[in-house]
Amino acid sequence: MNVLITGSSGQIGTNVALALLERGDEVTGIDKRPNTWTDRFRMRELDLVGATPADLKTNPKPDVVLHFAANAKVFELVEHPSRAMDNVKMLFAVIEYCRAERIPIIFASSREVYGDIRRHVIDESAADFVVAESPYSASKIAGEAFIYSYARCYGLPHIVFRFSNVYGRYDNDVKRLERVVPLFIERIARDEPITVYGKEKMLDFTYVDDCANGI
């Protein structure tokens, strides 16, 4: 199988790419920054914001596109909401490519689409399309809406995964993207205190190999 991965320099993209290679698949990656973890698969640097379907064409043509590219730091998108809109633009570029080439798409969504689960959600199979709690969650809800509309109007095969706090291998780029698990490990190793903001701040975490196996 030939697989195209957007966001291939990130944690999930890198782990999935290497897992696919291990089982004998061909992988091509697209990202706006180099992969600092591995050079085992082909990749090209491309900013998907403003990209056209022609920009995404690869040889050989992929059998499936895994769209993981996104600005994913929730607080950063609160400060810079235009980056949330960039998430929508990236998804639109990719989904138009998939529509033109008749390629199935797998979309990396987020648990953030549920909004405040304690107030709004009684059925976890449903996203809360009314109350988006941040620009990031709004961008993922918009992405899902595009996916489902393209499936209905154009028969586009798709799968949507809603990831929840994936941690593990290739998750320790603290200078670029501060994440709680590597941050805690780093501070504990230096014998520094860790801080949890609020006693109700309990979250589910997903180990990256479980995430990759699911994909």
Side-chain angles (χ1 to χ4, degrees):
M1 178 180 286
N2 293 305
V3 182
L4 176 63
I5 300 177
T6 71
S8 59
S9 296
Q11 179 205 18
I12 296 174
T14 300
N15 278 282
V16 170
L18 295 177
L20 290 169
L21 289 177
E22 287 297 320
R23 74 175 199 177
D25 294 320
E26 297 290 326
V27 175
T28 301
I30 288 178
D31 206 299
K32 66 179 182 180
R33 62 185 180 89
N35 191 309
T36 59
W37 311 110
T38 184
D39 59 1
R40 287 183 55 199
F41 58 89
R42 298 185 304 271
M43 78 156 291
R44 55 193 178 96
E45 291 184 42
L46 174 67
D47 189 343
L48 291 171
V49 177
T52 67
D55 295 329
L56 275 80
K57 285 191 175 182
T58 61
N59 187 22
K61 177 181 171 180
D63 299 300
V64 64
V65 173
L66 312 184
H67 180 54
F68 300 152
N71 299 308
K73 194 171 183 180
V74 177
F75 182 76
E76 185 178 89
L77 270 62
V78 171
E79 292 185 317
H80 305 282
S82 63
R83 296 178 188 174
M85 182 55 69
D86 285 346
N87 285 348
V88 180
K89 293 176 181 177
M90 286 188 278
L91 178 277
F92 187 73
V94 173
I95 201 171
E96 273 290 275
Y97 166 66
C98 291
R99 179 174 75 93
E101 300 292 329
R102 303 302 302 164
I103 302 170
I105 184 171
I106 291 177
F107 175 55
S109 186
S110 167
R111 66 175 180 83
E112 295 288 334
V113 300
Y114 296 120
D116 186 339
I117 196 167
R118 290 179 297 277
R119 285 187 298 157
H120 303 297
V121 178
I122 56 174
D123 177 1
E124 289 190 30
S125 68
D128 186 343
F129 285 86
V130 177
V131 181
E133 296 209 315
S134 70
Y136 173 73
S137 64
S139 75
K140 289 301 183 179
I141 289 171
E144 288 196 19
F146 270 112
I147 293 285
Y148 303 143
S149 68
Y150 271 54
R152 183 179 180 89
C153 293
Y154 310 114
L156 185 67
H158 69 282
I159 296 175
V160 172
F161 282 105
R162 292 173 180 163
F163 298 138
S164 179
N165 299 309
V166 178
Y167 74 98
R169 193 184 309 105
Y170 312 129
D171 188 28
N172 59 340
D173 191 353
V174 177
K175 290 187 178 68
R176 187 184 67 84
L177 186 65
E178 188 175 88
R179 295 176 63 83
V180 67
V181 173
L183 179 66
F184 279 11
I185 291 171
E186 185 179 74
R187 290 190 175 178
I188 290 168
R190 295 199 303 250
D191 199 26
E192 294 176 356
I194 60 174
T195 302
V196 177
Y197 294 96
K199 63 182 180 180
E200 288 87 21
K201 294 288 184 179
M202 297 184 67
L203 297 171
D204 292 323
F205 289 84
T206 308
Y207 186 58
V208 71
D209 282 351
D210 296 324
C211 178
N213 288 339
I215 295 165

